[in-house]
Amino acid sequence: MENPFNDDYFMKRALQEAELAFEKGEIPVGAVIVVADKIIARGHNATEMLHDVTAHAEMQSITAAANYLGSKYLKDCTLYVTLEPCQMCAGALYWSQISKVVFGARDENRGFMTMGGKLHPKTTLVSGVMAEESADLMKRFFVSRRK
């Protein structure tokens, strides 16, 4: 029997988080952190609501996962996030020593790869998972803001 838990499955859960951000007027980025095919943390952007520039989906998820595990290190964990992490989030992911990062759409302007950031040498990076769906959500958000 095929394992239903794959990158698309978990990215869909991250997209659900991004939709929640959209509904709250936040830039629609969502994230989940998974260990052993179980979601242990969820997050979405909350910078407007919290008046906190660091309240990105990744940061919310990292904190929740660390609390769940009782450890600052996220070894054997995978982050699924709808948009390429920024340099700040990449730095936090670096220090968390997360095992794998999977993102959807590239952020050509503020993504960590464009800005010269890097992940921990032991972190596996996968890009482009459900990229079109992630990018479409971002486009819908910014179109709705311009009206």
Side-chain angles (χ1 to χ4, degrees), residues 116-146:
K118 60 183 180 176
L119 297 174
H120 193 276
K122 293 182 180 176
T123 300
T124 302
L125 179 64
V126 177
S127 63
V129 176
M130 301 188 73
E132 191 171 312
E133 296 87 339
S134 298
D136 287 347
L137 182 58
M138 293 291 281
K139 288 174 191 163
R140 274 195 301 128
F141 175 78
F142 286 109
V143 165
S144 73
R145 301 287 287 203
R146 291 185 186 110

Side-chain angles (χ1 to χ4, degrees), residues 1 11 15 17 20 23 27-28 40 46 53 60 95 99-100 104-105 118-119 122 140-141 144-145:
M1 185 170 166
M11 189 60 77
L15 277 163
E17 289 294 318
L20 289 174
E23 292 168 11
I27 293 176
I40 62 166
V53 297
Q60 302 296 310
W95 289 110
S99 295
K100 185 176 178 184
K118 60 183 180 176
L119 297 174
K122 293 182 180 176
R140 274 195 301 128
F141 175 78
S144 73
R145 301 287 287 203

Side-chain angles (χ1 to χ4, degrees), residues 1-15 32-39 78-81 100-103 126 128-130 133:
M1 185 170 166
E2 185 179 326
N3 183 354
F5 302 113
N6 58 30
D7 287 346
D8 283 354
Y9 175 86
F10 291 116
M11 189 60 77
K12 285 177 185 170
R13 301 309 168 279
L15 277 163
V32 297
I33 294 180
V34 174
V35 65
D37 290 334
K38 179 181 178 185
I39 295 173
T78 300
L79 169 75
Y80 292 87
V81 62
K100 185 176 178 184
V101 173
V102 179
F103 73 82
V126 177
V129 176
M130 301 188 73
E133 296 87 339

Side-chain angles (χ1 to χ4, degrees), residues 17-31 42-61 88-89 141:
E17 289 294 318
E19 289 281 356
L20 289 174
F22 185 105
E23 292 168 11
K24 295 176 181 179
E26 300 279 355
I27 293 176
V29 178
R42 302 172 182 274
H44 56 270
N45 276 3
T47 60
E48 300 299 324
M49 181 182 74
L50 297 176
H51 308 288
D52 179 356
V53 297
T54 69
H56 290 194
E58 300 93 329
M59 302 297 272
Q60 302 296 310
S61 298
M88 173 187 69
C89 293
F141 175 78

